[in-house]
Amino acid sequence: MASFESLRIMNPILKALQKQDYKEPTPMQAQAIPPLLERRDLLGCAQTGTGKTAAFAIPILQHLSQERTPERGRKIKALILSPTRELATQIGESFTAYGAYLGLKNTVIFGGVSQVPQVAKLSAGVDILVATPGRLLDLMGQRRVNLQFVKYFVLDEANRMLDMGFLHDVEKVIAQLPRERQTMLFSATMPAAIEKLTKTLLIDPVKVAVAPVSSTVDTVEQSVYFVNKQNKIPLLIHLLKDRTVVSALVFSRTKHGADKIARKLTQAGIAADVIHSNKSQNARQAALGRFKDGQSRVLVATDIVARGIDIDELSHVINFDLPEVPEAYV
């Protein structure tokens, strides 16, 4: 069994990992970190929950720390593109945690909120930028973001970028990056459009796949209920009345559906929060925070918004609607 020490990770990062109570690397981390420290490009076929954020964040932090020069002003040296605001925020928090003793700066930018505080942080100088494609292109168009010094580029959840219609925006961003860089692409699936992108984006990449694509996890117990549409909400209420359901994430296919489910649960005396893209960023973060802290027992969400969110000790996931694509279920 590999240890973080055996992966040649520098002491300040090891100290930060210990503070986060990380015991040993996941298979994704054990396979990805060594070639990334050797500056190889990487293609990771990885689902949520494989520890891929640490797999790319640790090598980037180590490289940036070792390369630091006394030049005036910080320049963006690493860019991580993420499909959703929640995932981008989570990645930013991970960089902050793993780099706690390095003195590097990162910031996160996304749409749906005022750009003013984001621009202020960019103007003060950052080493690492985590961004969603739309807001990044907006700020690039305003000349608020300069990508000419980027040496490390991560495209995370590439298949989700495709599903959400971001691939054209991603290609626009890539066109502005320096040719000389290290590139990492992570995707849960490899549809044809992503396969094509990898051929233009990556140079002689190391390929890491830690589980069969879109396979369910053995430790998750699964059940299916065959029920008429009009009885779905009464059945959901019945299931949630069981107090062994400590915390439940309920997926709805539509925003309207998510609102309706949350309203019906509340009427039945089951406190439920809801998140989807029509909610403000502050409302979404507050609802997610209450759910993570255990203040609310049920979170109703559209799957696009909630996918990839890291929630410890989640006891139940309920797919109220069948997902549009099988991979979303996994």
Side-chain angles (χ1 to χ4, degrees):
M1 181 67 71
S3 65
F4 284 110
E5 288 81 2
S6 70
L7 301 180
R8 296 184 291 114
I9 296 169
M10 66 197 311
N11 284 329
I13 297 177
L14 289 174
K15 184 180 173 185
L17 292 175
Q18 288 167 357
K19 187 179 178 184
Q20 295 296 314
D21 205 28
Y22 281 37
K23 302 295 187 203
E24 58 191 33
T26 66
M28 166 57 69
Q29 292 158 6
Q31 293 180 54
I33 289 173
L36 289 178
L37 288 176
E38 293 171 2
R39 301 179 185 279
R40 297 282 304 276
D41 282 6
L42 184 132
L43 173 58
C45 202
Q47 299 166 24
T48 297
T50 54
K52 61 185 164 70
T53 302
F56 64 74
I58 289 169
I60 288 172
L61 287 164
Q62 184 149 320
H63 288 319
L64 291 179
S65 179
Q66 291 169 338
E67 293 162 1
R68 195 174 314 171
T69 59
E71 65 193 26
R72 292 183 63 190
R74 296 174 187 266
K75 298 177 175 65
I76 298 166
K77 299 284 182 62
L79 172 66
I80 295 85
L81 272 190
S82 169
T84 67
R85 311 168 193 178
E86 284 77 14
L87 206 50
T89 300
Q90 198 167 283
I91 292 168
E93 290 169 351
S94 295
F95 269 100
T96 299
Y98 308 146
Y101 304 106
L102 297 177
L104 295 165
K105 282 192 174 182
N106 77 79
T107 197
V108 182
I109 61 172
F110 45 74
V113 294
S114 166
Q115 72 172 42
V116 175
Q118 297 177 2
V119 169
K121 287 183 179 177
L122 289 167
S123 300
V126 297
D127 304 289
I128 301 157
L129 178 62
V130 186
T132 54
R135 176 53 61 91
L136 178 59
L137 284 172
D138 283 348
L139 295 183
M140 286 166 64
Q142 297 171 37
R143 300 187 184 280
R144 305 280 194 176
V145 174
N146 181 356
L147 300 181
Q148 72 181 76
F149 299 100
V150 169
K151 297 177 70 175
Y152 307 98
F153 173 56
V154 179
L155 181 59
D156 195 22
E157 301 265 341
N159 58 305
R160 199 52 45 217
M161 296 281 195
L162 179 64
D163 291 348
M164 296 174 71
F166 286 151
L167 213 52
H168 185 56
D169 286 350
V170 168
E171 288 168 343
K172 284 184 187 175
V173 172
I174 292 167
Q176 300 302 313
L177 294 173
R179 286 185 178 277
E180 291 280 320
R181 64 173 191 265
Q182 183 181 21
T183 303
M184 295 143 260
L185 184 148
F186 294 88
S187 188
T189 58
M190 284 291 158
I194 302 299
E195 286 269 12
K196 183 180 174 186
L197 185 63
T198 63
K199 289 181 170 66
T200 59
L201 194 58
L202 304 171
I203 299 170
D204 186 27
V206 173
K207 296 179 181 177
V208 177
V210 296
V213 176
S214 302
S215 59
T216 55
V217 182
D218 291 340
T219 53
V220 176
E221 187 178 318
Q222 301 173 68
S223 305
V224 61
Y225 294 87
F226 296 96
V227 60
N228 292 331
K229 187 175 180 180
Q230 64 268 28
N231 290 328
K232 286 171 82 170
I233 286 180
L235 174 60
L236 177 63
I237 291 168
H238 171 73
L239 292 171
L240 292 175
K241 293 281 188 184
D242 182 350
R243 298 308 297 186
T244 63
V245 181
V246 178
S247 57
L249 181 56
V250 180
F251 284 131
S252 164
R253 184 184 291 131
T254 66
K255 293 173 275 195
H256 170 74
D259 285 333
K260 181 181 177 183
I261 293 165
R263 189 167 62 249
K264 293 288 187 182
L265 291 178
T266 302
Q267 288 170 359
I270 300 168
D273 272 312
V274 60
I275 62 170
H276 52 64
S277 58
N278 280 4
K279 298 283 185 182
S280 73
Q281 183 61 23
N282 288 340
R284 284 158 63 169
Q285 288 301 124
L288 191 56
R290 287 191 295 271
F291 187 58
K292 283 186 172 185
D293 293 343
Q295 295 175 45
S296 59
R297 193 168 142 250
V298 181
L299 181 65
V300 186
T302 51
D303 66 341
I304 286 289
V305 168
R307 190 177 296 113
I309 291 172
D310 186 11
I311 301 169
D312 289 337
E313 306 299 330
L314 178 61
S315 75
H316 289 73
V317 174
I318 299 172
N319 285 278
F320 189 85
D321 300 303
L322 284 173
E324 297 285 356
V325 290
E327 291 80 14
Y329 171 79
V330 176

